[in-house]
Amino acid sequence: MHETFNFVGNLRMCNPSSLEEAATKDQGSCGKTVCLPASLPVLAMRWWLGLGLFVLLYFSLGYEQEKEVIRSKMGGKVGLPCCYEIPSFDSLQNYRVYWQKSITEVVLAYAKGKKISRNERYDSRTAMDTRNFTLWISPVEILDNGSYHCVVQELKNSENPHVVCTKPVTFFVAADFSKPNVTAEEFANSCESTEMMVTCSSHGGFPKPKVSGALANKPVVWNASRVSQSSLSLYNVTAHLWLSVTEDISFTCSIEYNGFAQSTTLLLRKTNDCIVPTVPPPHNVIIASSIIIIIFLLALILAARYLPRHVCSHCCKPQHSVEEDVKEGTKPPTSSKMTSETSSV
């Protein structure tokens, strides 16, 4: 079904054989009548849908470009890439290039081969490659951290320069934190544990860090932490942890910042100020020791009874026997008398 619109106000209905046909008929004094297809809203919807897909594709490509990230450390040299390289047969004279930070601040700009902008903060620290438009920054400062855009325009037609390409670059600047200083202060000791407070501190880094702790490689949660920022936009961090240590164990403090990390490990020692009670020997040891002691005592008793008798029977004599021996000792020897008598004869 088609609707017919008459330019002089006459409205009729027509039915052409094809939906794609637009018929023009002579209606006499009514002039020309044009048949428009009734599916015009559908075609319009398709057109808008195609346009929407194109816009979505355009922004999705731009979003992919946003994912390019450049990282560097403070004091170093870095190159931020642009989106175009001048062909060998072309010249910088035919281009205008802008490097902008956060859209509003012009870092560097060239037109027809000459530098056309000056920025006191960047002027002495930046340079541009005249073939691929890479922006070089040296030395890198903390304030260089942020989003950059490279815009390239072609000037061959001076009346109508057109944009060749644009490229966003995200630049992350990092400054090394000092090696973490880990200390442990004891508060109380007992036979079972040592109470202590562990402190981890680091300073002079960028960006804002994440502080983590691990006890024997198991993560712990800090009881308190504080991050402060200096006048140079550098960060200092201090964290505290209260522990009850029951044995010697290692503690590690880590400072993580912008893909970099610093860590220190300290051995926490349990202080033992108490006397450990003696462990009683096993039951079988007690029985064996008792048997040995009893046997030893019996041996002593038997020895005490046997040895005195044995000594008296071989070495000792009764009192009267002793006296008789004395008397016999006082008598003159018989052999001497016999000798005298023999001599007289």
Side-chain angles (χ1 to χ4, degrees), residues 23 35 41 89 103 106 111 137 143 157 175 182 196 208 212 215 223 247 257 272-274 281 283 298 305 342:
C35 293
F89 58 84
I103 305 299
V106 176
I137 304 176
L143 295 179
N157 185 356
V182 182
M196 61 179 62
K208 188 175 181 179
S212 60
L215 196 62
N223 295 105
E247 61 181 357
Y257 54 102
N272 189 358
D273 292 332
C274 61
H283 183 67
L298 289 175
R305 289 183 178 182
T342 303

Side-chain angles (χ1 to χ4, degrees), residues 33-34 72 78 113 138 157 163 204 217-218 226-227 236 259 292 305 323-324:
T33 301
V34 180
S72 180
V78 66
S138 177
N157 185 356
V163 176
N217 296 323
K218 295 182 178 179
R226 181 175 62 87
V227 178
N236 305 320
I292 292 173
R305 289 183 178 182
E323 293 176 353
E324 290 178 356

Side-chain angles (χ1 to χ4, degrees), residues 58-77:
Y58 176 83
F59 282 106
S60 65
L61 290 176
Y63 178 76
E64 290 296 328
Q65 290 179 336
E66 286 287 353
K67 289 186 177 180
E68 181 165 2
V69 174
I70 304 297
R71 301 177 188 273
S72 180
K73 290 186 177 181
M74 184 179 68
K77 182 178 181 180

Side-chain angles (χ1 to χ4, degrees), residues 106-254:
V106 176
V107 177
L108 192 65
Y110 273 80
K112 296 183 179 181
K114 296 182 179 180
K115 191 174 181 179
I116 61 173
S117 70
R118 299 186 64 86
N119 187 319
E120 292 183 0
R121 202 171 73 81
Y122 288 99
D123 191 50
S124 61
R125 299 187 301 114
T126 57
M128 190 186 73
D129 190 298
T130 56
R131 300 304 298 181
N132 59 18
F133 306 137
T134 297
L135 176 66
W136 291 97
I137 304 176
S138 177
V140 173
E141 298 179 355
I142 293 299
L143 295 179
D144 295 336
N145 187 81
S147 299
Y148 292 77
H149 279 80
C150 177
V151 181
V152 180
Q153 292 179 324
E154 191 174 29
L155 303 177
K156 290 182 179 180
N157 185 356
S158 59
E159 295 181 357
N160 187 24
H162 70 279
V163 176
V164 177
C165 67
T166 64
K167 182 178 181 66
V169 178
T170 301
F171 181 34
F172 286 121
V173 179
D176 284 334
F177 280 83
S178 64
K179 191 174 181 62
N181 181 33
V182 182
T183 59
E185 183 179 359
E186 297 181 4
F187 287 99
N189 295 315
S190 66
C191 293
E192 293 77 17
S193 64
T194 299
E195 307 297 325
M196 61 179 62
M197 182 180 72
V198 179
T199 301
C200 177
S201 60
S202 182
H203 62 273
F206 186 88
K208 188 175 181 179
K210 175 185 177 183
V211 188
S212 60
L215 196 62
N217 296 323
K218 295 182 178 179
V220 295
V221 178
W222 297 100
N223 295 105
S225 62
R226 181 175 62 87
V227 178
S228 61
Q229 194 169 13
S230 67
S231 58
L232 298 176
S233 299
L234 300 177
Y235 288 91
N236 305 320
V237 59
T238 303
H240 302 282
L241 179 66
W242 284 268
L243 290 175
S244 179
V245 178
T246 58
E247 61 181 357
D248 292 353
I249 193 170
S250 62
F251 178 83
T252 301
C253 176
S254 299

Side-chain angles (χ1 to χ4, degrees), residues 255-333:
I255 309 293
E256 301 172 13
Y257 54 102
N258 199 23
F260 303 98
Q262 296 270 19
S263 63
T264 298
T265 299
L266 177 68
L267 180 62
L268 304 179
R269 297 185 179 276
K270 177 186 177 298
T271 303
N272 189 358
D273 292 332
C274 61
I275 300 176
V276 179
T278 304
V279 179
H283 183 67
N284 54 352
V285 176
I286 296 176
I287 295 175
S289 301
S290 301
I291 293 174
I292 292 173
I293 293 173
I294 292 173
I295 293 174
F296 180 73
L297 293 175
L298 289 175
L300 289 177
I301 293 172
L302 292 175
R305 289 183 178 182
Y306 172 75
L307 288 178
R309 293 180 180 180
H310 181 73
V311 171
C312 291
S313 62
H314 291 82
C315 302
C316 300
K317 294 182 179 181
Q319 185 66 28
H320 64 275
S321 299
V322 175
E323 293 176 353
E324 290 178 356
D325 292 339
V326 172
K327 291 178 179 181
E328 290 180 356
T330 57
K331 292 180 180 181

